[in-house]
Amino acid sequence: KVIFVGNSGVGKTAAVQKFCNDYFPETHVPSLVSQFYERSFELTNSSETIDIMIWDTPGRESLGLLAADAFSNSNICVVFYSFTDRASFEAVPQWVEKVKAIAVDVMIVLVENKIDLLQDGQVSSDEAQRMASQLESPLFRISVRESLNLRNLFTFIAVTLQSKFLSSLNSLPRGSDAFFVSNVDDQNATDNKGSTSNAQSGNSGNNTHCSIA
């Protein structure tokens, strides 16, 4: 389970829609409820698939209780802020605190969106790196509009969930009734249409399947 959090207008919903449907909403419409998306990946060298459940939560403070319902049992929390919105950057620690109050062991991934708007930047690279270091999280600088590093972000999410899945299998008791997965390369994930991507790849293709409920 993956949750997207961050202030309103930072590009959470646009990121999911652009990656899944190759659609970028030109007009920002604030989310009033948490929206659920699901994306399927095949595990590399295996016939098994991993379903990534993405909860896109509202960013308005007044809707915080609605967003909090989606936090429980999360594996990864992707915290968005906008390169052009200083307040959204400064709100990152508060979002992390809110999520970890409910999902203690969740992994934090920091995302800086709108990096294509260089002339409007309000957050320096050094500040972004310091924030990521403080949170002990990876940092992805992306542009949803231009699809810059967007696929890298989602592939990293898939690879990380794959690794967590395999770790959980390795923790199971071994015996005649136990099952295990071997020879799985956790550096790559293949989507359900057969294309393979590396987390460090610059490929921005969108061969995906995504459903919304």
Side-chain angles (χ1 to χ4, degrees), residues 49-120:
T49 61
I50 182 168
D51 293 327
I52 305 174
M53 296 179 291
I54 302 174
W55 289 88
D56 172 28
T57 66
R60 292 168 58 184
E61 185 67 28
S62 59
L63 301 174
L65 291 178
L66 294 177
D69 289 340
F71 296 169
S72 61
N73 300 317
S74 299
N75 302 108
I76 298 176
C77 172
V78 184
V79 187
F80 281 74
Y81 70 90
S82 171
F83 175 59
T84 64
D85 182 354
R86 181 78 189 180
S88 70
F89 174 73
E90 294 177 346
V92 166
Q94 286 73 42
W95 282 109
V96 173
E97 183 179 359
K98 289 177 182 179
V99 172
K100 288 203 167 185
I102 297 174
V104 178
D105 297 324
V106 70
M107 176 184 181
I108 302 298
V109 177
L110 185 61
V111 171
E112 179 182 69
N113 186 29
K114 306 186 183 182
I115 62 170
D116 56 306
L117 302 176
L118 296 176
Q119 70 280 7
D120 299 322

Side-chain angles (χ1 to χ4, degrees), residues 112-144:
E112 179 182 69
N113 186 29
K114 306 186 183 182
I115 62 170
D116 56 306
L117 302 176
L118 296 176
Q119 70 280 7
D120 299 322
Q122 296 183 14
V123 181
S124 71
S125 296
D126 287 343
E127 288 175 316
Q129 291 287 359
R130 284 197 297 271
M131 179 70 77
S133 296
Q134 292 170 6
L135 298 176
E136 298 181 336
S137 71
L139 169 64
F140 284 84
R141 293 188 172 96
I142 72 171
S143 168
V144 174

Side-chain angles (χ1 to χ4, degrees), residues 145-164:
R145 179 188 294 273
E146 303 297 334
S147 295
L148 295 175
N149 288 331
L150 187 60
R151 185 172 180 83
N152 289 350
L153 169 62
F154 279 89
T155 303
F156 174 82
I157 291 171
V159 169
T160 301
L161 290 175
Q162 178 186 355
S163 178
K164 288 179 177 290

